[in-house]
Amino acid sequence: IEGRQGLITQKIQEFNDAYLEARNKRMELDAKLAKLRRTLRTSGEIVHARSLIDNSLIDSLYTKLHEAEVEHNRLSNVFRSKHPKIIQIRTKIDEIQRKLDEELKKELENIKAERSVLYSKEKILQETIGDFENDALETGKKEIAYTILQRKVNTNQKLYDILLAKIEESNIEGSLDISNIRITEKAVPATIPVKPNKKRNIMLGALVGLMIGVGLSFMLEYMD
């Protein structure tokens, strides 16, 4: 998808330029054809037709025709129309004119054929441009879908990178021997045992024994 739209646009421009070139040439040939058709109907238009046709044989025949017509005008001032020289020069003019007409017809057919080729080329180029334009529309739709998917990929990639960083951070913290216990004071061995406390036990025993003895005495005295 990436770069395809630009390539299609470039191709459309190239084919469009080729189409315009073929169309302009075809229109020029149409003008030539119109001029040649008028030439075949009117011999006086040959001078204008020569400017449209690059044909050395037509130029040569036209020169000969012009020279023969000049010679005919010169002889017409001297001889009558039935004179052999007049007849001869007229025959020559007719022959040159016939050959010139034939060459003009050939040129006309060649231009028709060239014009037909250009017209077909125009149609093919138009169809090709239409295909590229349809392709451009489809590519545009695909490009939009591709952009959306690419944005999702980028978002998911960033999320994945964040989660992966968190996991790696957690793994690093778990591998470290970290404790929240701290030493408040140093342990010192005791000089006397914690248990038994002999003095306290003796005092408690004496006190309890005294209380029991007094209680028994009063009870015996009461019961006597």
Side-chain angles (χ1 to χ4, degrees):
I1 296 297
E2 293 179 347
R4 180 173 176 80
Q5 191 74 339
L7 179 61
I8 292 174
T9 302
Q10 180 182 354
K11 290 295 183 182
I12 290 175
Q13 184 63 41
E14 291 176 357
F15 279 98
N16 190 60
D17 292 341
Y19 166 75
L20 292 176
E21 182 181 357
R23 181 173 176 270
N24 291 335
K25 287 183 179 179
R26 194 257 305 165
M27 293 178 68
E28 290 177 1
L29 292 180
D30 287 341
K32 286 184 179 181
L33 284 172
K35 177 66 74 173
L36 287 176
R37 289 190 179 102
R38 287 196 300 268
T39 299
L40 293 177
R41 292 193 299 266
T42 307
S43 59
E45 292 288 333
I46 296 177
V47 177
H48 301 291
R50 288 177 60 201
S51 62
L52 300 173
I53 301 173
D54 185 15
N55 190 316
S56 58
L57 180 57
I58 290 177
D59 292 339
S60 176
L61 290 172
Y62 177 77
T63 301
K64 291 179 179 179
L65 179 63
H66 179 68
E67 292 174 353
E69 289 177 346
V70 170
E71 181 66 16
H72 177 268
N73 292 333
R74 187 185 66 81
L75 292 175
S76 296
N77 295 328
V78 179
F79 305 102
R80 296 182 181 274
S81 59
K82 300 296 183 179
H83 194 277
K85 289 186 178 183
I86 297 295
I87 295 174
Q88 183 180 6
I89 195 65
R90 283 180 178 173
T91 303
K92 183 178 180 180
I93 291 173
D94 293 339
E95 181 65 19
I96 295 173
Q97 186 67 53
R98 183 185 62 80
K99 291 181 180 180
L100 185 59
D101 291 341
E102 289 178 356
E103 288 300 321
L104 288 173
K105 288 180 181 179
K106 290 179 182 179
E107 194 68 27
L108 181 65
E109 293 300 323
N110 292 337
I111 294 176
K112 284 182 179 180
E114 185 178 357
R115 191 258 184 198
S116 177
V117 171
L118 288 173
Y119 184 76
S120 299
K121 185 177 180 180
E122 282 183 56
K123 293 297 182 183
I124 293 173
L125 289 173
Q126 280 183 325
E127 293 175 359
T128 304
I129 292 172
D131 292 340
F132 273 114
E133 288 175 348
N134 293 332
D135 195 8
L137 293 176
E138 291 297 325
T139 302
K141 295 178 181 178
K142 292 179 181 179
E143 195 170 18
I144 293 173
Y146 174 80
T147 302
I148 295 173
L149 291 175
Q150 186 64 46
R151 189 179 296 113
K152 290 182 179 179
V153 168
N154 295 334
T155 302
N156 292 334
Q157 183 66 44
K158 290 179 181 178
L159 180 60
Y160 171 78
D161 292 339
I162 293 173
L163 293 176
L164 183 61
K166 292 293 183 181
I167 292 174
E168 291 179 352
E169 182 181 350
S170 176
N171 292 335
I172 293 174
E173 290 178 354
S175 63
L176 297 177
D177 187 10
I178 299 175
S179 176
N180 58 357
I181 299 174
R182 61 187 178 87
I183 299 174
T184 58
E185 59 182 12
K186 293 184 178 181
V188 179
T191 57
I192 57 175
V194 177
K195 290 181 180 181
N197 190 335
K198 294 180 180 181
K199 289 182 180 182
R200 186 184 62 185
N201 292 343
I202 291 172
M203 291 177 67
L204 288 174
L207 181 60
V208 172
L210 181 61
M211 291 174 65
I212 293 173
V214 172
L216 288 174
S217 297
F218 278 106
M219 184 180 69
L220 291 173
E221 180 65 24
Y222 176 75
M223 294 179 65
D224 186 355

